[in-house]
Amino acid sequence: MHPIRKAAVTATALLASAAITLTTGCESGSTTEGSVAASASPSGSSRPGCPTALAEAKQAVKTAEDVNAPWSGPTSGPRAVPDKTIVYIAQTLTNPGVAGVAKGVQEAAGIIDWRVRTLNGQGTPAGIKAAFAEALALEPDGIVIGGFDPTSIAAQVEQANADGIPLIGWHAVAAPGPSENPKLFSNITTRVEEVAKISADWTIARSNGRAGVVLFTDASIPFAKRKSDLIKKELATCSGVKLLSYENIPIPQAGSLTTKRISSLASRFGDRWTHSAAINDLYFDHAGPALRAAGRQGDGAPFNIGAGDGDPSAFQRINSKEFQAATVPEPLSEQGWQIIDEFNRSFAGKSASGYVAPVHVTTAATSGGALAWDSEGYREAYRRIWEK
């Protein structure tokens, strides 16, 4: 655990379980309002709309908020293979998750004495294709597909495969671990099903089973679209939770579009809008000015949760209670280290580790003032494996 988090957790541990008692009151729609129950208003009934689902959600959230989760990843593997070069292709470095993993890759490569070059795809198909072409021209030992769909550059992926260059994805395909089509040595991600479920469960628990929810996604990214669909599915397990609107905003355009959309949503739904979920914390980076202009308070409704990626700016908003209440953080630095470890296993002729980081929820009551989430002890574990 981060030292600053450990120091603060003792004083806030009791608050974590007490923080899910608010009473407020989503039929699915695509930027249009479904039928909203009268109890969706903060002045509606305080009785939970789904007792069984609510109890299950509260238990799941309690488990996911555990700040003392130890390192549960690999403790054995091949020693460091020397003198390798890796290229990290970022979908866009404006995506804090993609950028955070890139930093972790750089840090771990420095420990293992490898070279890393990061290329920015600029969030466009043309930019990603150009970056991948540049990566192939560099003839690296391995390439990271950082946050984009490898089927969008299928010919180049096939070229890398033909050239014997191992590919490792981060949020590149839906499932963690090795992939045959497209061919990836491994894909590093938490399980999207678990992230989506705990995001929806947090909303159910935080609202005591009565909420009006807006869901933000980027439907152009299959991984993100699936995550938001799974969030919708889990929200639907609670009859007192109504989906007010499903907002499709491409991540590269989040800065220019989110503020306008939020202003419109606040005007349309008023107090019925009590909670939000987004496939990425980035959307809430642009929410504050519009919500403030609509008369909302940073520590009040809508209570917002990001279903990834837990970047430092999200932690800052959560810690200061500025229009974000929770995040389901990817352990970004830890996953960067895992990428280097998986490449090392590939170079040594070994199989992928199969490790998948467990899901976690961070709130102001559990962050301890920290600006990131990682399992305790991963750096030491990987260094022992690599003999570095």
Side-chain angles (χ1 to χ4, degrees):
M1 186 191 305
H2 297 275
I4 188 170
R5 185 188 297 125
K6 185 174 290 184
V9 159
T10 301
T12 60
L14 293 178
L15 294 177
S17 60
I20 46 179
T21 58
L22 191 76
T23 60
T24 53
C26 275
E27 218 154 81
S28 63
S30 180
T31 68
T32 58
E33 179 181 9
S35 60
V36 180
S39 58
S41 168
S43 61
S45 170
S46 62
R47 296 180 63 186
C50 51
T52 301
L54 177 60
E56 293 175 353
K58 286 187 174 183
Q59 182 57 52
V61 170
K62 181 180 179 180
T63 300
E65 288 182 337
D66 179 13
V67 296
N68 294 311
W71 170 243
S72 59
T75 56
S76 63
R79 63 181 300 179
V81 176
D83 194 29
K84 297 296 180 180
T85 298
I86 305 299
V87 174
Y88 183 100
I89 304 175
Q91 184 255 352
T92 171
L93 289 172
T94 63
N95 182 327
V98 172
V101 174
K103 290 180 181 179
V105 168
Q106 291 278 1
E107 180 186 29
I111 297 299
I112 208 169
D113 299 324
W114 292 356
R115 297 167 296 278
V116 176
R117 181 161 178 183
T118 300
L119 303 178
N120 189 355
Q122 306 293 338
T124 67
I128 291 168
K129 186 175 181 179
F132 210 110
E134 183 178 354
L136 289 171
L138 292 170
E139 299 183 350
D141 297 292
I143 295 174
V144 182
I145 296 175
F148 60 91
D149 180 8
T151 64
S152 67
I153 35 87
Q156 291 169 307
V157 167
E158 291 178 3
Q159 182 62 55
N161 295 156
D163 291 345
I165 302 172
L167 302 176
I168 292 180
W170 181 81
H171 286 206
V173 295
S179 170
E180 285 300 321
N181 187 23
K183 187 171 180 56
L184 306 177
F185 182 76
S186 191
N187 180 54
I188 310 304
T189 178
T190 49
R191 289 187 173 89
V192 65
E193 299 88 351
E194 295 178 0
V195 173
K197 184 178 186 302
I198 200 64
S199 302
D201 284 347
W202 181 89
T203 300
I204 294 168
R206 179 67 177 79
S207 68
N208 206 38
R210 292 199 177 275
V213 183
V214 172
L215 179 56
F216 297 91
T217 192
D218 182 345
S220 70
I221 303 173
F223 183 91
K225 173 66 163 55
R226 181 163 181 257
K227 185 189 293 185
S228 57
D229 287 346
L230 289 167
I231 292 172
K232 284 199 293 184
K233 182 178 179 180
E234 182 66 13
L235 289 173
T237 65
C238 182
S239 60
V241 174
K242 306 299 177 183
L243 185 62
L244 301 177
S245 187
Y246 182 83
E247 296 292 321
N248 176 28
I249 301 176
I251 286 175
Q253 300 175 44
S256 60
L257 295 181
T258 303
T259 300
K260 293 179 181 178
R261 294 278 185 93
I262 285 179
S263 295
S264 174
L265 290 163
S267 176
R268 287 165 59 197
F269 299 123
D271 290 344
R272 288 176 293 171
W273 180 15
T274 65
H275 291 74
S276 309
I279 54 92
N280 191 296
D281 294 303
L282 179 66
Y283 293 98
F284 302 129
D285 192 32
H286 307 286
L291 288 171
R292 193 173 289 109
R296 303 298 184 102
Q297 300 298 313
D299 60 350
F303 298 98
N304 299 323
I305 183 169
D309 296 306
D311 64 279
S313 66
F315 275 75
Q316 288 173 341
R317 289 190 295 274
I318 290 166
N319 293 339
S320 60
K321 299 182 180 179
E322 281 293 313
F323 301 105
Q324 186 166 350
T327 185
V328 184
E330 295 281 332
L332 301 176
S333 176
E334 175 188 315
Q335 289 177 332
W337 280 62
Q338 184 182 352
I339 287 171
I340 292 297
D341 182 65
E342 301 293 357
F343 272 125
N344 192 58
R345 292 169 190 270
S346 174
F347 300 147
K350 304 297 183 181
S351 300
S353 72
Y355 175 64
V356 181
V359 72
H360 180 74
V361 172
T362 292
T363 66
T366 63
S367 74
L371 297 179
W373 167 256
D374 289 306
S375 297
E376 188 173 1
Y378 71 93
R379 288 182 174 90
E380 294 81 0
Y382 282 128
R383 294 187 71 152
R384 282 193 294 270
I385 291 171
W386 303 334
E387 299 183 13
K388 288 290 184 177

